[in-house]
Each structure stands twice: as structure tokens, then as C-alpha cells.
Amino acid sequence: MTVRKKANPLRLPPVVAGEWSGEIVGSANVNFGQVVQPGPPRQSVEFTYVILPASLIMPNAAFRWPGIVMIMAPTPMKTEHPNAGALFQTDELPSLSLSLDVTRAQFSDMLPLFEAKRFKDFHFTVEDKDAHGRWPVRSWGMGATRV
């Protein structure tokens, strides 16, 4: 009987604070909905967000992570935004999730640009990992290509 060696598990680089970049690698998935929050009093709250498949590039291009970007328009119930977003690492898959906060007006401005597929590259600044196991995003930016 042949004895096989176990394959070395995939060792991914640690997520680090610093200046990251990203590339949108597919079409935007725009989602709209509404949910009733229990009361008293009961309150109906809308939610709107975009999910984008992306490649997230570590500082100094050390590694390119597969991931998603979720851009959420705020609800009236959440009035405080201490960060510009957050970066999360999943336990199940070798990937990252980047959540970015925007204003309702900014989200509305972005929707037609997503539809026209005019966003491609973006950048974001990640801070050190917090007590909740995520990396706060201090700033982010995304430019639209010209037609």
C-alpha cells in the first residue's frame, strides 16, 4: 500500500492595517427591501445595499484576496457611523468581506454608475483589528471611468 503525504494546508498571509486597493471583478447586485422592527412601537425600516465581487489587494501588493464589497445606504435607525466601514475575514472560505458605509445621497449617486459598470478600481485604509475581530476602515474612495 502506498502511503501518501498530507498536503500542506493553504497558509494565507495575515490581514494587516494599511493602504489597500481593490478591483471590481463582476456586476453589481443591487438589493432593496423593508422589514418591520418589533416595538413598541413597531417600525418599518427600509434597507438598500449593493454587493460587488472584488479582488482585495493588500498593502505593497503582497497578496490578492478574493472577496466581496457590500455598500449599504443607512437607515434612519442607525445615526452613528464611527468608521467608514469594516473588513471581515471568513473562517469558512479564504476570502474577505469589505463593508462600506455611505450616505443615502451618495448611494443614490452611485446607483446609475453601477448600472453602467463604470466603477473598476478603489482604495481603502484599514486600521488595526478591533475587539470584535474586524478591521475598521478609516477611509475609502472609488472613481468612475468616463464613457
Side-chain angles (χ1 to χ4, degrees):
M1 181 190 284
T2 304
V3 177
R4 293 184 185 214
K5 291 183 181 180
K6 276 191 170 178
N8 289 336
L10 178 63
R11 295 187 197 273
L12 299 170
V15 174
V16 297
E19 303 295 324
W20 288 59
S21 61
E23 182 180 335
I24 297 169
V25 296
S27 296
N29 182 344
V30 182
N31 300 272
F32 302 90
Q34 197 159 352
V35 65
V36 174
Q37 299 289 318
R42 285 171 42 118
Q43 184 174 2
S44 181
V45 178
E46 67 180 43
F47 58 88
T48 312
Y49 59 96
V50 171
I51 297 177
L52 302 158
S55 179
L56 305 175
I57 306 159
M58 294 180 70
N60 301 319
F63 185 75
R64 188 180 281 258
W65 286 85
I68 62 159
V69 177
M70 185 165 74
I71 300 173
M72 302 202 55
T75 68
M77 293 179 80
K78 182 166 178 157
T79 56
E80 291 185 29
H81 296 277
N83 298 305
L87 183 66
F88 304 86
Q89 187 171 12
T90 61
D91 293 330
E92 298 79 21
L93 296 171
S95 64
L96 298 176
S97 298
L98 176 63
S99 175
L100 301 175
D101 292 325
V102 297
T103 63
R104 174 66 59 186
Q106 187 176 33
F107 188 86
S108 295
D109 289 345
M110 295 173 86
L111 277 178
L113 297 170
F114 283 124
E115 182 179 36
K117 298 181 181 181
R118 293 191 43 208
F119 288 119
K120 176 85 172 151
D121 300 315
F122 58 97
H123 60 87
F124 56 105
T125 304
V126 174
E127 296 180 333
D128 290 325
K129 192 174 190 177
D130 67 14
H132 302 288
R134 61 185 174 221
W135 291 264
V137 172
R138 182 176 349 122
S139 65
W140 67 270
M142 187 179 293
T145 59
R146 294 189 66 172
V147 176

